[in-house]
Amino acid sequence: MPDLAIIIPTFNESKNIRPLVSRLDAVLEGVDWSVLFVDDDSPDGTAEVVSELGKDHWRVSCLKRVGRRGLSSACIEGMRQAKAPVYAIMDADLQHDETRLPLMLAEIRSGADLCVATRYAGGGSVGEWGMGRRVISRSATWITNVLIGARMSDPMSGFFMVTDAVMQQVFPKLDGMGFKILLDIVVHARKNIEIREVPFHFRPRLAGESKMGFQVIVALLVFLVKKAPRRVMGL
Ligand SMILES: Nc1nc2c(ncn2[C@@H]2O[C@H](COP(=O)(O)OP(=O)(O)O)[C@@H](O)[C@H]2O)c(=O)[nH]1
Ligand SMILES: [Mg+2]
């Protein structure tokens, strides 16, 4: 069992797999790590690229799901399958700065239960986003923190590390819907888990397309309306 299992959900990311694995190799020297790509049968052949790479690279493997889609459920299934003491969740598209991974692991090893890579504190940034996307992201973050009391500067971050101990508590409670896996974990974990943050600069996407869209925002609002009363009423 490796010390760290990196779980990467993919949909049409074939061009990003090899560059990403080379970067992981470069930054994770000295760590016993593995990476599991959870691919929802991408038409561009992402799963085949991963399997091919995995033949010569024992740290790399692929979980291919057929007939299903979903970022959160892909992360959950990936963690359940990988079974490691610590999991990192990150995107395949090179937008998440992999050089942060050793720092995040150091936070976990020194006692954090969850370490979130944040775009909104300590010198992190969203890079070259347009005004519209900035406003939507900031508003969603603000509303989330008001309603959920999530204690995080970037509750919508898709880049974080979490211990298996926390995941074992929350697995039965996660619904696997939508994009907000971090939020789902924090809402369902015990209230005193130690959350730390590491800043990062969100890079522009080089290859492939974003799957974030209007339906993601609607799904977030539905989630908040369902979960907020639990927190506000202390349930
Ligand atoms: N397995 C799986 N991965 C997905 C799905 N939707 C998005 N992803 C992956 O989740 C990550 C984040 O999605 P992305 O479109 O980059 O969102 P953005 O960074 O907010 O624009 C990327 O690695 C995507 O390939 C999905 O339905 N299933
Ligand atoms: Mg992305």
Side-chain angles (χ1 to χ4, degrees), residues 8-13 16 20 37-42 46 63 65 68-75 90-96 119 129 133 156 158 178-179 202-203 205 207-213 216:
I8 306 190
T10 56
F11 195 74
N12 287 344
E13 303 283 2
N16 293 320
L20 176 56
F37 290 90
V38 186
D39 186 68
D40 288 349
D41 202 14
S42 301
T46 303
L63 169 60
R65 308 194 304 170
R68 262 176 311 155
R69 279 292 305 274
L71 178 46
S72 276
S73 67
C75 296
M90 73 188 289
D91 288 3
D93 53 17
L94 310 174
Q95 293 190 285
H96 291 159
R119 299 163 291 186
W129 278 5
R133 186 148 186 198
M156 240 59 75
F179 267 66
F202 197 67
R203 301 189 190 117
R205 181 186 257 280
E209 278 168 22
S210 171
K211 288 105 214 159
M212 270 288 190
V216 173

Side-chain angles (χ1 to χ4, degrees), residues 28-99:
L28 290 171
E29 243 188 69
V31 177
D32 186 10
W33 61 280
S34 68
V35 58
L36 176 62
F37 290 90
V38 186
D39 186 68
D40 288 349
D41 202 14
S42 301
D44 78 343
T46 303
E48 288 66 38
V49 174
V50 176
S51 301
E52 199 51 42
L53 181 58
K55 285 183 191 160
D56 324 304
H57 198 318
W58 61 274
R59 296 189 190 275
V60 178
S61 54
C62 185
L63 169 60
K64 178 166 157 179
R65 308 194 304 170
V66 177
R68 262 176 311 155
R69 279 292 305 274
L71 178 46
S72 276
S73 67
C75 296
I76 294 165
E77 277 188 54
M79 288 188 273
R80 279 188 179 278
Q81 166 147 332
K83 292 193 189 70
V86 182
Y87 307 104
I89 302 287
M90 73 188 289
D91 288 3
D93 53 17
L94 310 174
Q95 293 190 285
H96 291 159
D97 178 358
E98 67 290 333
T99 66

